[in-house]
């Protein structure tokens, strides 16, 4: 599949955008008019630069508000078109995008529209240019892609065809099945975009909230499947209007964009396979190594220049020191099957922060190959000949993800590198496992993270929630496996919480699940654990919301435990104080409770905010 991207998707100058697209692996680009007008490069220089970078120049856009006008304006529009066609000759671009008229159209009769488009096609033919006519979702008279295609068929000129744009089609909930009835030769160009489902006027939705495929909620796999069935074999190009992307690092955004097209090809191929299609189409939808969902957490790693406070905290929770690694400056702490690696590295002033997560997978090599094809940067770790070799890559927030060989029984062979296992010890934490990991996401990379974890790790994004905090709303996105053995919670923090010198200001945490939280909390209290103190008002509200037995409520209050309940079961949890940017959570799930105590999250945020404020 010929991959493309519109320059409007990216930040920077035209030169920077072209270089980033080439580096990310795109085949071609669309030149957005404003990028050319504001560039210091001449059209001829743009053409040469693209050739040097190995990029094709696939489309010039947009040509707006042409058809459905009176005769005087039509003459002016044709003169404007001639100028653009001459410019395209200098650029070496043979296709222009003509959008359906949204501003100047006064004549909506199809015969008039087709007649004027016919004149445009004849002018284009004289310059060796093709016109790809696109129905904008908010077009005055033409806002339906089938209507636009009927006009193209009525004109019946070799230089006029259709541009299919997934946003304009799916934002209006148009059925994509009729695409299959189109002649492939009359589909001149295809643009794809995803978007979250929003209650918003379609123009504002389009101009500010488009995202790359896989980062929204449109049925793009079906769109691609119907497109492939037409026999189309041209470019599939991204056209994303997004305020965040146009403020972000240009190279990183280009890589995210390319990842989305790799993912989209796989999704389109999977949709066709699900429909019983076994043959190949001219539009080749490449597939990736298929990997099953992860089977569990293997470990969490916290990095700091000084890990002494964390070691104290882990000991108070009931973790046992397994020992120091024989060749690396790291220590292992365990409770049941929950493993925490403490790494002493980085700058002397570096405060504790979650640096890596180990995930159990069926085949680490295959899963690593998939991640690399999805543009995930590899982060191999040095290992001696007799040590475990982890396949790893960096997530968008810089957290390192290591793929581990799942044992099926919860054990991990690499732990032998820390010395012999201590004698078994029973206690309230004997059955402990990592329940979930909560990771903060920079505002400009949140959507990228959602696509990354869903495509590279086969995690499924759940509907996001917004949690009130004293500094604003925190957007929370759960990514998990079907059996919930792996749960990642991605939090988009308010801007004021995201930067604090060189350290993470927004707090992250690892949550451990135990069989008996009350017993775990009592034992931790005896060891001197400093719990996150919960306000008395919380327990009064809890008593009002739930009919709890008095003794149980007193226990919750005594131990600073939080509680939630739904029809499926109950949830108990408590938090530790924060060290650096890290705190720990202990949870107990009763019955089939599947949430995270969402009603309690504002309480945690408020208490942590006061502690940060008072310590400043």
């Amino acid at each position: 599949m010929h991959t493309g991207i519109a320059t409007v998707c990216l930040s920077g100058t035209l030169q920077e955008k072209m270089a980033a697209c080439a580096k990310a692996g795109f085949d071609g680009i669309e030149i957005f008019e404003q990028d050319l007008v504001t560039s210091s490069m001449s059209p001829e220089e743009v053409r040469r630069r693209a050739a040097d970078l190995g990029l094709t120049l696939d489309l010039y856009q947009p040509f707006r508000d042409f058809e459905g006008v009176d005769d005087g304006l039509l003459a002016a529009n044709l003169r404007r078109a001639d100028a653009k066609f001459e410019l395209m000759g200098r650029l070496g671009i043979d296709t222009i995008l003509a959008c359906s008229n949204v501003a100047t159209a006064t004549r909506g009769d199809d015969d008039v529209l087709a007649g004027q488009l016919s004149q445009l096609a004849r002018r284009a033919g004289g310059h060796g240019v093709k016109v790809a006519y696109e129905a904008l979702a908010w077009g005055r008279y033409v806002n339906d892609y089938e209507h636009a295609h009927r006009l193209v068929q009525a004109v019946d000129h070799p230089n006029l065809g259709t541009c299919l744009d997934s946003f304009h089609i799916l934002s209006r909930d148009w059925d994509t099945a009729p695409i299959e009835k189109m002649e492939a030769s009359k589909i001149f160009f295809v643009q794809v975009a995803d978007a979250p489902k929003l209650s918003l006027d379609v123009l504002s939705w389009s101009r500010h909230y488009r995202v790359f495929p896989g980062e929204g909620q449109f049925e793009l796999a079906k769109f691609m499947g119907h497109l492939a069935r037409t026999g189309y074999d041209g470019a599939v190009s991204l056209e994303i209007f997004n305020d965040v992307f146009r403020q972000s690092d240009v190279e990183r955004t280009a890589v995210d964009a390319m990842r989305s097209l790799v993912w989209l090809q796989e999704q389109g191929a999977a949709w066709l396979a699900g429909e019983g299609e076994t043959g190949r189409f001219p539009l080749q939808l490449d597939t990736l190594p298929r990997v099953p969902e992860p089977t569990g957490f293997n470990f969490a790693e916290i990095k700091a220049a000084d890990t002494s406070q964390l070691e104290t905290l882990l000991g108070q929770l009931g973790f046992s020191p397994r020992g120091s690694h024989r060749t690396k400056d790291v220590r292992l702490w365990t409770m049941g099957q929950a493993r925490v690696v403490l790494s002493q590295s980085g700058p002397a002033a570096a405060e504790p922060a979650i640096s890596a997560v180990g995930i159990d997978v069926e085949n680490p090599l295959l899963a690593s190959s998939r991640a690399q094809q999805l543009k995930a940067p590899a982060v191999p770790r040095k290992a001696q000949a007799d040590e475990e070799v982890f396949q790893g890559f960096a997530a968008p927030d810089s957290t390192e993800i290591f793929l581990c060989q799942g044992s099926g029984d919860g054990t991990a062979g690499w732990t032998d590198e820390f010395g012999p296992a201590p004698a078994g010890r029973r206690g309230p934490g004997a059955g402990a496992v990592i329940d979930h990991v909560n990771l903060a996401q920079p505002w400009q990379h949140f959507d990228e993270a959602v696509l990354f974890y869903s495509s590279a790790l086969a995690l499924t994004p759940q509907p996001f929630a917004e949690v009130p905090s004293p500094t604003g709303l925190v957007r929370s996105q759960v990514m998990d496996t079907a059996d919930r053995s792996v749960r990642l919670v991605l939090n988009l923090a308010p801007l004021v919480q995201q930067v604090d010198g060189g350290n993470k200001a927004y707090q992250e945490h690892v949550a451990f699940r135990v069989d008996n939280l009350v017993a775990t909390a009592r034992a931790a209290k005896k060891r001197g654990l400093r719990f996150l103190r919960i306000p008395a008002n919380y327990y009064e509200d809890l008593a009002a919301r739930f009919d709890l037995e008095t003794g149980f409520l007193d226990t919750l209050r005594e131990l600073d435990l939080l509680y939630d309940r739904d029809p499926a079961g109950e949830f108990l949890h408590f938090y530790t104080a924060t060290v650096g940017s890290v705190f720990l959570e202990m949870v107990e799930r009763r019955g089939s409770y599947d949430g995270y105590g969402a009603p309690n999250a504002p309480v945690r945020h408020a208490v942590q905010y006061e502690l940060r404020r008072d310590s400043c």
Side-chain angles (χ1 to χ4, degrees):
M1 186 178 87
H2 183 95
T3 59
I5 184 171
T7 55
V8 73
C9 303
L10 305 169
S11 65
T13 65
L14 182 56
Q15 296 97 315
E16 292 169 333
K17 296 180 184 195
M18 293 174 71
C21 292
K23 187 174 181 180
F26 281 95
D27 297 316
I29 59 174
E30 305 173 35
I31 297 291
F32 198 74
E33 185 172 66
Q34 186 175 354
D35 285 318
L36 179 66
V37 170
T38 59
S39 176
S40 60
M41 293 190 293
S42 69
E44 291 77 12
E45 288 172 328
V46 171
R47 184 175 186 170
R48 287 193 295 270
R49 181 60 177 153
D52 291 343
L53 291 169
L55 292 170
T56 58
L57 297 179
D58 299 328
L59 186 78
Y60 188 77
Q61 67 129 324
F63 187 67
R64 299 188 185 277
D65 298 327
F66 172 79
E67 81 290 8
V69 297
D70 61 41
D71 292 343
L73 188 51
L74 176 63
N77 287 344
L78 288 169
R79 287 194 297 272
R80 179 164 57 95
D82 282 335
K84 297 304 177 185
F85 297 155
E86 291 174 5
L87 173 63
M88 290 169 63
R90 297 171 63 193
L91 287 163
I93 300 178
D94 67 358
T95 307
I96 189 170
L97 176 70
C99 306
S100 61
N101 199 324
V102 301
T104 61
T106 57
R107 305 168 69 184
D109 181 86
D110 276 8
D111 289 338
V112 172
L113 298 173
Q116 295 184 353
L117 287 171
S118 178
Q119 293 186 58
L120 181 65
R122 291 198 299 273
R123 291 288 185 99
H127 291 270
V129 168
K130 297 186 296 183
V131 177
Y133 182 54
E134 173 187 63
L136 297 182
W138 52 91
R140 179 164 294 182
Y141 296 116
V142 181
N143 54 35
D144 177 346
Y145 78 98
E146 291 187 83
H147 186 188
H149 190 62
R150 287 195 301 271
L151 293 172
V152 167
Q153 290 178 308
V155 172
D156 191 23
H157 192 284
N159 290 78
L160 182 68
T162 297
C163 174
L164 296 176
D165 183 312
S166 68
F167 181 87
H168 294 297
I169 296 170
L170 298 175
S171 64
R172 297 291 298 269
D173 290 324
W174 302 128
D175 183 9
T176 54
I179 290 174
E180 295 188 18
K181 299 176 183 178
M182 295 182 176
E183 287 183 53
S185 62
K186 298 307 288 184
I187 302 174
F188 281 4
F189 207 75
V190 173
Q191 295 173 322
V192 291
D194 208 338
K197 290 294 182 71
L198 299 173
S199 298
L200 195 68
D201 71 272
V202 69
L203 178 57
S204 298
W205 190 11
S206 173
R207 286 288 175 260
H208 303 285
Y209 297 103
R210 296 193 195 194
V211 289
F212 294 126
E215 298 175 358
Q217 296 169 283
F218 284 168
E219 290 189 275
L220 290 176
K222 183 190 295 187
F223 173 86
M224 291 298 293
H226 290 313
L227 177 66
R229 282 175 170 169
T230 67
Y232 176 79
D233 65 352
V236 175
S237 185
L238 297 164
E239 186 192 47
I240 313 296
F241 297 93
N242 185 291
D243 298 341
V244 172
F245 295 169
R246 285 184 279 185
Q247 299 177 58
S248 304
D249 177 79
V250 61
E251 289 191 0
R252 180 166 179 167
T253 305
V255 169
D256 182 31
M258 190 64 211
R259 178 183 299 127
S260 76
L261 280 185
V262 173
W263 173 90
L264 181 59
Q265 292 181 67
E266 179 188 50
Q267 297 302 301
W271 185 86
L272 286 167
E275 293 287 299
E277 295 283 4
T278 58
R280 300 279 291 177
F281 294 97
L283 183 67
Q284 295 185 12
L285 301 176
D286 296 330
T287 58
L288 299 167
R290 299 299 300 272
V291 295
E293 291 182 333
T295 58
F297 285 108
N298 194 287
F299 67 87
E301 180 182 278
I302 302 173
K303 184 180 292 185
D306 180 2
T307 61
S308 58
Q309 286 182 279
L310 286 168
E311 298 202 35
T312 298
L313 186 63
L314 289 169
Q316 291 170 337
L317 284 172
F319 280 77
S320 300
R322 175 67 184 268
S324 298
H325 193 271
R326 59 191 183 212
T327 63
K328 301 178 181 67
D329 194 12
V330 296
R331 289 176 61 81
L332 174 63
W333 288 72
T334 63
M335 179 195 291
Q337 294 178 10
R339 290 175 282 270
V340 177
V341 175
L342 300 182
S343 174
Q344 287 187 292
S345 60
E351 294 185 344
I354 297 173
S355 57
V357 177
I359 305 288
D360 285 332
V361 296
E362 185 176 287
N363 187 326
L365 283 173
L366 192 66
S368 176
S369 173
R370 176 184 174 87
Q372 289 179 36
Q373 290 182 54
L374 285 161
K375 305 293 181 179
V379 286
R381 289 197 169 179
K382 294 180 180 178
Q384 302 291 339
D386 57 347
E387 294 175 355
E388 186 90 8
V389 177
F390 287 127
Q391 303 293 323
F393 49 84
D397 65 350
S398 77
T399 301
E400 295 177 347
I401 305 297
F402 289 99
L403 304 170
C404 309
Q405 184 71 60
S407 62
D409 60 2
T411 61
W414 59 268
T415 57
D416 292 340
E417 298 167 19
F418 291 82
R425 186 182 74 176
R426 298 301 299 174
V433 296
I434 295 178
D435 183 83
H436 62 274
V437 179
N438 183 305
L439 298 173
Q441 303 301 309
W443 65 272
Q444 67 272 43
H445 302 307
F446 188 87
D447 292 319
E448 177 187 358
V450 172
L451 171 61
F452 178 86
Y453 285 114
S454 61
S455 62
L457 278 181
L459 299 182
T460 301
Q462 303 302 325
F464 71 85
E466 291 182 332
V467 179
S469 83
T471 54
L473 289 176
V474 176
R475 181 180 177 184
S476 184
Q477 175 82 66
V478 173
M479 311 283 297
D480 59 17
T481 54
D483 64 359
R484 309 297 189 267
S485 59
V486 172
R487 307 169 186 249
L488 286 180
V489 183
L490 309 181
N491 279 353
L492 174 60
L495 286 175
V496 296
Q497 296 185 28
Q498 293 189 16
V499 179
D500 180 17
N503 297 305
K504 291 183 177 181
Y506 182 70
Q507 299 171 6
E508 303 178 316
H509 74 274
V510 183
F512 307 97
R513 186 169 72 251
V514 295
D515 298 327
N516 189 327
L517 189 76
V518 171
T520 299
R522 288 198 186 283
K525 188 173 183 179
K526 287 182 180 179
R527 299 187 194 101
L529 178 69
R530 205 173 107 216
F531 293 77
L532 191 69
R533 298 305 303 270
I534 305 303
N537 292 337
Y538 168 79
Y539 296 101
E540 291 188 18
D541 179 69
L542 200 63
R545 288 192 292 127
F546 301 110
D547 183 18
L548 299 177
E549 192 269 327
T550 302
F552 180 59
L553 185 62
D554 289 343
T555 298
L556 297 177
R557 184 184 292 108
E558 172 200 352
L559 297 173
D560 287 295
L561 306 185
L562 297 105
Y563 176 87
D564 190 33
R565 184 171 71 203
D566 65 18
E570 299 173 288
F571 187 65
L572 283 74
H573 56 140
F574 71 80
Y575 301 101
T576 71
T578 302
V579 181
S581 67
V582 179
F583 63 96
L584 304 177
E585 179 184 10
M586 307 297 288
V587 311
E588 178 187 347
R589 297 180 181 275
R590 297 178 176 177
S592 300
Y593 184 95
D594 199 36
Y596 301 84
N600 302 327
V603 178
R604 170 175 68 82
H605 284 294
V607 174
Q608 290 176 329
Y609 171 79
E610 289 189 4
L611 289 172
R612 286 198 307 272
R613 182 199 61 194
D614 294 343
S615 65
C616 294

